[in-house]
Amino acid sequence: MAKDAHLTIGRAIDSAMATVGRGGQLLRSTLGLSGISGDRKHSRRVTPGELPGIDHIANILEPPAPGSVAISYTDYSATRIESGDIADLDEFLEKPVPDWVQVRWLNVSNLNPYVVNLFRHHYAFHTLAAEDVLHIPQRPRIEIFDDHIFVVLRMLQLVQHEVVDPLSDSSLDTEQVSLFLYDNVLITFQEKPGDVWQPIRDRLQNEGRRIRKSGTSYLLYALLDAVVDHCFPVLEKYGDVLEELEFITLENPSPQVLHRIHSVKRELALVRRIVWPMRELVDQLYREEGDRIEDSTRPYLRDVYEHTIQIVEIIESYREMASGLTDLYMSAMSNRMNEVMKVLTIIATIFIPLTFIAGVYGMNFQNMPELAWRWAYPALWVVFTLLTAGMLFFFKRKGWIGKT
Amino acid sequence: MAKDAHLTIGRAIDSAMATVGRGGQLLRSTLGLSGISGDRKHSRRVTPGELPGIDHIANILEPPAPGSVAISYTDYSATRIESGDIADLDEFLEKPVPDWVQVRWLNVSNLNPYVVNLFRHHYAFHTLAAEDVLHIPQRPRIEIFDDHIFVVLRMLQLVQHEVVDPLSDSSLDTEQVSLFLYDNVLITFQEKPGDVWQPIRDRLQNEGRRIRKSGTSYLLYALLDAVVDHCFPVLEKYGDVLEELEFITLENPSPQVLHRIHSVKRELALVRRIVWPMRELVDQLYREEGDRIEDSTRPYLRDVYEHTIQIVEIIESYREMASGLTDLYMSAMSNRMNEVMKVLTIIATIFIPLTFIAGVYGMNFQNMPELAWRWAYPALWVVFTLLTAGMLFFFKRKGWIGKT
Amino acid sequence: MAKDAHLTIGRAIDSAMATVGRGGQLLRSTLGLSGISGDRKHSRRVTPGELPGIDHIANILEPPAPGSVAISYTDYSATRIESGDIADLDEFLEKPVPDWVQVRWLNVSNLNPYVVNLFRHHYAFHTLAAEDVLHIPQRPRIEIFDDHIFVVLRMLQLVQHEVVDPLSDSSLDTEQVSLFLYDNVLITFQEKPGDVWQPIRDRLQNEGRRIRKSGTSYLLYALLDAVVDHCFPVLEKYGDVLEELEFITLENPSPQVLHRIHSVKRELALVRRIVWPMRELVDQLYREEGDRIEDSTRPYLRDVYEHTIQIVEIIESYREMASGLTDLYMSAMSNRMNEVMKVLTIIATIFIPLTFIAGVYGMNFQNMPELAWRWAYPALWVVFTLLTAGMLFFFKRKGWIGKT
Amino acid sequence: MAKDAHLTIGRAIDSAMATVGRGGQLLRSTLGLSGISGDRKHSRRVTPGELPGIDHIANILEPPAPGSVAISYTDYSATRIESGDIADLDEFLEKPVPDWVQVRWLNVSNLNPYVVNLFRHHYAFHTLAAEDVLHIPQRPRIEIFDDHIFVVLRMLQLVQHEVVDPLSDSSLDTEQVSLFLYDNVLITFQEKPGDVWQPIRDRLQNEGRRIRKSGTSYLLYALLDAVVDHCFPVLEKYGDVLEELEFITLENPSPQVLHRIHSVKRELALVRRIVWPMRELVDQLYREEGDRIEDSTRPYLRDVYEHTIQIVEIIESYREMASGLTDLYMSAMSNRMNEVMKVLTIIATIFIPLTFIAGVYGMNFQNMPELAWRWAYPALWVVFTLLTAGMLFFFKRKGWIGKT
Amino acid sequence: MAKDAHLTIGRAIDSAMATVGRGGQLLRSTLGLSGISGDRKHSRRVTPGELPGIDHIANILEPPAPGSVAISYTDYSATRIESGDIADLDEFLEKPVPDWVQVRWLNVSNLNPYVVNLFRHHYAFHTLAAEDVLHIPQRPRIEIFDDHIFVVLRMLQLVQHEVVDPLSDSSLDTEQVSLFLYDNVLITFQEKPGDVWQPIRDRLQNEGRRIRKSGTSYLLYALLDAVVDHCFPVLEKYGDVLEELEFITLENPSPQVLHRIHSVKRELALVRRIVWPMRELVDQLYREEGDRIEDSTRPYLRDVYEHTIQIVEIIESYREMASGLTDLYMSAMSNRMNEVMKVLTIIATIFIPLTFIAGVYGMNFQNMPELAWRWAYPALWVVFTLLTAGMLFFFKRKGWIGKT
């Protein structure tokens, strides 16, 4: 019961994430990355050879429908904090930043060319960076510009379902996050509403926290840290699934198990492709010279770096484990075949000679003296019994009987 | 239906590209690269030890037949643009470049020793570079000279057919492109007519575009970008084919599937061999010091570089996926064998003992008391039935019946 | 007998270490590392996105229950030594260090937030380091701060049981150790009571020893050396187990052997994941400039470094050996199948034709002249014998009989 | 026909090159490299621990038999060229080099200690270099001395046979070449007579050629280039063989194919071991500072370097292809086994039940009412037919019949 | 005959070297390295955490039994040489070195703590180096100290037996050698008596030799060179064994062959683990700055370095070859299985239908008109013959008969 639960969690991850696809397909790219899921079609400009940058995008001058894009601001200093939603972005950006504000965090949920373009004009970031915000998926990376740092991330999030059925109690959600770090401003663009940063928002409300006393780089750290930390529960899920698969492979292997292992391997490869560049990214940020990253923040970034290494190592060991499971499965299969063959061989080698003997005395020759002997028939049964016993003894000695 | 379509697309790629070869061959090098296709014979001088450079080439002093080589020019500045075909190359090269021209783009379709030699004399590029323009295929690479940069590329292009049959709706076309970047001039040599640069020509006509305001390095970037971008649709095709192959492997594996997987693996290895040096090339261009690459162009080159990395990563993940499919196929095969063996074993182990018993009572001994018993025959049928039921129960418990 | 003993030692390692887990599971993560054992749940903060550092930990201001944490001190110089348990830590830390003390070693067994926090305030180490002391498991590593060095280690220890049964005479114990090296003070935090450092404590009592004449860095070396040296007996155990498995694979392979090999492989991967970063760590310590590491200590650190390399190489060769065993096992399996098939084939191909002949003369045709011949029946037996001999000769020539 | 030809070419390469060896051996090291062929015995001094250098060699003071060593000279400048064989080496070396000579190329065919020693004394090269000239095979490498450069190469040459039989129209010849580059002199030692440099000798006769106007380094380049270029036809042979093997694997796999693939793999590994250090060597020569390598020669060396990279890449892709073929072969084998099993199973499962029924009515019970029924026998044939039809339908549905 | 000889040489290597071990074990670590042989127990201090250095060793103050340790000296200059055994080491070390001595070589056979300690005190080398001399096996390496260089090596030696039986004509002997290089003194410690340096001792007697005119570094080179050169005959042995195994695998594979391949693979891995660090060691020595290594010796060291690279490459190619043999073996096995299955299938599918027909006419129905027909019985034999012929034709077409 419990094992079924575990196994199906994994399958639930699959199916819940598969937004585009044919029903009959058993294996599925989990993460919507540039693997082979339908999503990959958006990973590049629509037409090769098209204009770079965002200026040419069709609806760039068309403001989004009200409510389709949520923009919020959080202004804070050590002693004061203000936050809220921004209704009129143009007006908001025009207003000067109040003097008391140490750090301004602007967060945009849902991507919209018009909004990104407004930000681009106000904060003067590169047209290609703006393009990368809009074109998903991007490879996680960092770009250092003269007056700002541009970071692209991928956020993994395990969404809990409210279903009681343990088979589908959670699914994996992935979205792209782009961050622009200026001296006093941090802008974050999220692909979809919903994020993993609620604990940070809560912490910001608390006056005594270090985050309130530090600059934008510490805020950046906190956001990164939350994103990286959210990889651990995802890995735990995979750990559970692998543990289940190992159990099933040993107890009761079936082709489905192998498909499942294959699928886990592929998904882990995708997760690694997300995490690996994040490791580089954090390291680059940690080593970035200049004062945009405060020195007091560096040990924290190093801590995040250690976590990314740990994640990569866990993924690697899971991948090795999955490979080992494939070997185990294959050997279990050949073991089963062996067992089938043994049964066949035992039955056949015992009865084929007996059948031959019976056939001999079923012949109709006129001159077969044995047929007339009085004890011939009972004697034959003795022969049958002895032959069978001899065969069984032979198989026993070969180890085909009595051991599994 | 849909799956057949997908699968055959891949096969169509194969067959459409195979220009030289025996009909009965199932696997074929797709890209005409130095793999094992007939093309490789041209990858080096005809006779080893021959003279390097192009001076010795037989027909170097013989002008090409009219119309066999198409040479076009595009002169432009921010405010003015002129373009056209060049009929008399000698005369054209002699004429001084008009003062208003910021960038001159000379494009040559079809390779001809005479034409390349004319360019070589006028623009003074190295005889070995000229040789590399003519000898295909070359490994993509960049060479920095004092007053110019020489770039060799390979252009992948998915050609759409006008056939309705989904099995052959597209094929892969590959050609070598050589570029010479001077301060104000960019010369491009294409192996064959037809290219992926039409959108750039269109963009050049548009006065407001950044490309009109920038120098030759931006033009170079735009051409590179178009070439790299055209790899994505090719990869998408392979993604579709792999998805189909996965589906078939799970549903209905046949040896053909394995041949297909083998073929995809090999083709991906070839594509990687094209893209991998292009990654290095773009990186080297990006890092090239000196002012031939304008600083404003560098972020764009970096963007291209990111794309090449993304392509390489996608290829790697496709290759891993293909390897995984091989394992799946192998296990499907051994699974089938298992199933065959089980059927044989079940039938044989049920009937062999029964046949033996029937044989016993077919014996002609004079003294077999059972033969005279009244209920012996019906009783034997009861025995037969019980034996069969026992066997079936045994197989059921072994899990050979009732589970697939 | 001896081989059983060896094999079961390994199994005992497994089972003894498995503190959390389902009974029916055959393979088990040995080391409680971030593999797939239940322990991994503690390798990160409880809630992703939580506050970094230790200030927020719930019971940080709550002193531990008396006796739950053992803190001891050892003050020594070349001529004098004093050691004992610390009852009131606060008071002890307040007292100035006596003038004669060259090196003070403070050792804490069992982790407690309150105690760690006290130390942190007194010795001013970073809040993230304090967090890493408490959150286990950490990846072994070193961090250099301005006035101290922070080292995280993992101690492997083979615990001897007092049972006579050779199957369970030892188990593997693993715990995290954190060290803070100051100019005159070395603080060590152990996850659990019990350690591998008793020989060093004994050595400290001996006035003539080099350890008494050297500074804290030599003490650090001695502790590191003891930890690294304790990996060798663990490896020896695995060597014994592998030797046993090799013997069994050759003599009497069973699926359990493969599970065991799989399990050893996985455990070695985990041990490697512990030792590998320790190699880096010791190297970094050896190369650390500045005078916290005395020059006379460096050759000793280099010696430890050589040992870690040796351990890594032994692990690698064990892993290769385990892979080789998998191949051997697979071939043994297919060999067995071969043997089974041969037996079946020999029996079947000998008797099936004979049975056919017997069947022929069991037919009831009225006109079968042979039936009336006088020597027909004995002649048939001659035929049977010749046929069988011919078959046996054929099998002999094929090498199916008489060779194993 | 054509395919047989191709396949046997490869086999011919094997056998023609195998100069030492047992006849019955199927696989053979092709290149006489330090692999496992008999040649390897000469790759080191005869007795380990013997004197280094050549002074101790037994016949070092004994001039070679006339005609056993061919020494030729080529003196040239831009305007004049003289060449010929050297009869009396001692006398020749004593004579001063004429003033007009820009470059002197001395070529020695067949290795002889006396001759090498004479050169060594006149040109003062190191005793170890002289030893390496004589002890073959050496690893290709370059050594830079104060006044000269020492290069060891391995020359691959496809020798065309005059036989009409396509099975043996060519074989691979390999020999070691050592070069000493001085300011105005280039000395080349060849292991055997016959080389790939005839085109260069021809070119030298031609006054207008660049080679006549350049120094020794250009001559060195030309010789290197010829050696590297001669690898391409060898690779083409392997490409043809692989293409053939692929065809055979798909059409008609037999164990011989696998042996052949194995053999190609091994030979490619040997070719790679020759080419790989040549790549390094050319690169080192290209980067060699100082004026022994003229700057105008460097682009040419770079061109050779590109060729070596291309060769290595082709070898790698051939090796991957060979691995893929092994997989294909294995799957073809298991596919065949499947087919065999299916035939057996179909026949057995159809007839075993029928035979049982026939056996039942062959029993001799006195009370078997069916025996007396009038239509029993024809009815039984109906049963037989229905049973068979049912089985066939079952196999059809399983996909065992009607699909290959 | 010849092949048996070869094969058994390898097996003899195994068994002759196995000094500790259970008789029934088939695979054995050849080299007594820290693999899994009994030797590994000495690779570390007896008790983990024990004192580093040698001062604490129990019998360090106890002089060795007379004759158990052989110490010899060789004093030489260009013009004079003296050598002999040292009876009283203490006295010898006290005596000043005569003025005429350029190089003193002290050689110790058999390790003894007392002797090593005496040397240590006189030549002031590090206590850890002294420990490494005594604790075997150490990883080959070099350590540079201020006034001396410490080198640890492993000497491989093929010992010829005087037995005529080709199966055991040689075995592999391995011992650790430690060298201390001072300005005028070279001290060598050998684990066991007997070495590979006799040719060097002979050479030293010869006044004209370079070794007599050079310093200690040339002597060190000569010793290193002898050790490295002695690896080649060992590799040749493995080459012969592999050639034999290849032959057997192709001709007559048996499980023992696979065990043997497995064993060769493992032994090669061990040899590589010995040679690999020796490569580094020689390179480090070659690059060592300062005048302890004379400049005239450097080219010789580079020559040794080339040899170590060659050895490593040969080992790698042997390992690849062994892997290829495993594949060949596996395919040979599956091929055999195929053959077995074919025989079974041919026999069964021919006779099972015939037996059925015979069974039909053995039925006892009263109304079977065929039984009374006159030619029924001969006609049936025609049917039998036709059926058999049909089957044989079918198998022929399938390629199961007539091809192997």
Side-chain angles (χ1 to χ4, degrees), chain A residues 243, chain C residues 14-25 27-30 32 36-42:
Chain A
E243 202 169 51
Chain C
D14 284 359
S15 50
M17 272 177 313
T19 47
V20 190
R22 190 176 38 199
Q25 197 169 344
L27 299 182
R28 185 163 299 292
S29 160
T30 302
I36 59 169
S37 79
D39 266 345
R40 76 176 171 281
K41 303 227 153 78
H42 310 299

Side-chain angles (χ1 to χ4, degrees), chain C residues 118-355:
Chain C
L118 266 188
F119 275 101
R120 179 166 94 83
H121 280 118
H122 192 81
Y123 286 103
F125 48 79
H126 200 281
T127 185
L128 285 174
E131 191 190 7
D132 288 347
V133 169
L134 289 169
H135 282 131
I136 53 173
Q138 293 291 321
R139 210 175 156 261
R141 73 177 189 281
I142 185 172
E143 284 189 39
I144 313 283
F145 291 94
D146 279 349
D147 65 338
H148 65 283
I149 294 176
F150 171 50
V151 175
V152 186
L153 283 181
R154 190 145 278 270
M155 191 190 277
L156 296 180
Q157 200 176 350
L158 211 60
V159 179
Q160 298 297 324
H161 292 265
E162 303 200 349
V163 198
V164 191
D165 182 8
L167 301 183
S168 53
D169 69 344
S170 61
S171 65
L172 186 59
D173 191 40
T174 165
E175 66 174 302
Q176 177 167 314
V177 182
S178 314
L179 303 97
F180 290 88
L181 174 76
Y182 287 83
D183 280 349
N184 297 312
V185 180
L186 183 76
I187 313 170
T188 53
F189 292 96
Q190 299 184 43
E191 188 187 332
K192 298 185 252 182
D195 58 36
V196 298
W197 292 335
Q198 197 52 46
I200 293 163
R201 288 197 192 87
D202 297 346
R203 232 193 286 163
L204 276 172
Q205 299 301 332
N206 195 327
E207 199 162 309
R209 293 294 183 216
R210 168 182 272 271
I211 198 168
R212 285 285 293 280
K213 299 171 200 149
S214 311
T216 43
S217 70
Y218 191 87
L219 177 60
L220 175 67
Y221 148 73
L223 300 177
L224 278 177
D225 190 44
V227 168
V228 169
D229 263 19
H230 267 84
C231 294
F232 282 101
V234 175
L235 290 180
E236 258 171 50
K237 276 282 166 210
Y238 282 113
D240 291 344
V241 170
L242 279 171
E243 202 169 51
E244 269 316 307
L245 288 173
E246 189 168 65
F247 181 76
I248 296 173
T249 304
L250 291 174
E251 293 294 298
N252 186 21
S254 73
Q256 276 70 42
V257 177
L258 190 66
H259 299 171
R260 198 75 200 100
I261 296 170
H262 175 76
S263 152
V264 167
K265 241 182 195 163
R266 219 173 69 181
E267 293 175 23
L268 284 170
L270 292 176
V271 174
R272 192 185 51 166
R273 235 166 70 206
I274 289 175
V275 177
W276 188 257
M278 260 153 74
R279 194 190 60 82
E280 283 174 53
L281 179 165
V282 176
D283 189 40
Q284 231 173 318
L285 208 57
Y286 168 64
R287 295 185 191 289
E288 162 65 8
E289 283 165 19
D291 46 5
R292 255 164 320 179
I293 306 295
E294 293 155 290
D295 279 345
S296 61
T297 306
R298 286 184 204 274
Y300 290 90
L301 286 172
R302 189 162 155 183
D303 195 56
V304 178
Y305 179 66
E306 282 294 328
H307 288 176
T308 55
I309 288 186
Q310 217 173 351
I311 291 170
V312 168
E313 283 187 351
I314 292 173
I315 292 173
E316 282 313 313
S317 74
Y318 282 3
R319 278 162 62 97
E320 269 186 38
M321 210 179 299
S323 294
L325 284 182
T326 310
D327 288 356
L328 267 190
Y329 172 82
M330 286 306 207
S331 108
M333 276 297 102
S334 88
N335 209 46
R336 289 211 155 184
M337 176 91 93
N338 241 328
E339 211 188 340
V340 171
M341 292 304 306
K342 274 185 201 164
V343 168
L344 174 60
T345 304
I346 289 167
I347 296 286
T349 51
I350 287 176
F351 284 102
I352 285 178
L354 303 188
T355 305

Side-chain angles (χ1 to χ4, degrees), chain A residues 81-278:
Chain A
I81 181 163
E82 252 176 48
S83 64
D85 289 338
I86 302 174
D88 186 338
L89 179 62
D90 227 341
E91 183 196 306
F92 181 87
L93 291 177
E94 288 309 313
K95 274 195 305 191
V97 179
D99 281 352
W100 62 267
V101 174
Q102 296 285 338
V103 178
R104 161 167 286 187
W105 174 22
L106 300 171
N107 182 45
V108 182
S109 290
N110 280 337
L111 301 176
N112 178 281
Y114 177 84
V115 172
V116 172
N117 201 31
L118 265 188
F119 274 102
R120 178 166 94 83
H121 280 119
H122 192 81
Y123 286 103
F125 48 79
H126 201 282
T127 185
L128 286 174
E131 191 190 7
D132 289 347
V133 171
L134 289 169
H135 283 132
I136 54 173
Q138 294 291 320
R139 209 176 156 262
R141 72 175 189 281
I142 186 172
E143 284 189 40
I144 314 283
F145 290 94
D146 279 350
D147 65 337
H148 66 284
I149 294 175
F150 172 49
V151 175
V152 185
L153 282 182
R154 191 145 276 271
M155 191 191 276
L156 296 180
Q157 201 176 350
L158 210 61
V159 179
Q160 299 297 324
H161 292 266
E162 303 201 350
V163 198
V164 192
D165 181 7
L167 300 183
S168 53
D169 69 345
S170 61
S171 64
L172 186 59
D173 191 38
T174 164
E175 65 173 302
Q176 178 167 313
V177 181
S178 314
L179 303 99
F180 291 88
L181 174 76
Y182 287 82
D183 280 349
N184 297 312
V185 179
L186 183 76
I187 313 172
T188 53
F189 292 96
Q190 299 184 42
E191 188 186 333
K192 299 184 252 183
D195 57 37
V196 298
W197 292 334
Q198 197 53 46
I200 293 162
R201 290 198 190 86
D202 296 346
R203 233 193 287 163
L204 276 173
Q205 299 302 331
N206 195 327
E207 198 162 310
R209 293 296 183 213
R210 167 182 273 271
I211 198 169
R212 285 286 292 281
K213 299 172 200 149
S214 311
T216 45
S217 69
Y218 191 88
L219 178 59
L220 175 67
Y221 148 73
L223 299 177
L224 279 178
D225 190 46
V227 167
V228 169
D229 263 19
H230 267 84
C231 294
F232 283 100
V234 174
L235 290 180
E236 258 171 52
K237 275 282 168 211
Y238 282 112
D240 290 345
V241 170
L242 279 171
E243 202 169 51
E244 269 317 306
L245 288 173
E246 188 169 66
F247 180 76
I248 296 172
T249 304
L250 290 174
E251 293 294 298
N252 186 22
S254 73
Q256 277 69 42
V257 177
L258 190 66
H259 300 170
R260 199 74 202 101
I261 296 170
H262 175 76
S263 152
V264 167
K265 243 182 194 162
R266 219 172 70 182
E267 294 175 23
L268 284 171
L270 293 175
V271 174
R272 193 186 49 167
R273 235 168 70 210
I274 289 176
V275 176
W276 188 256
M278 260 154 73

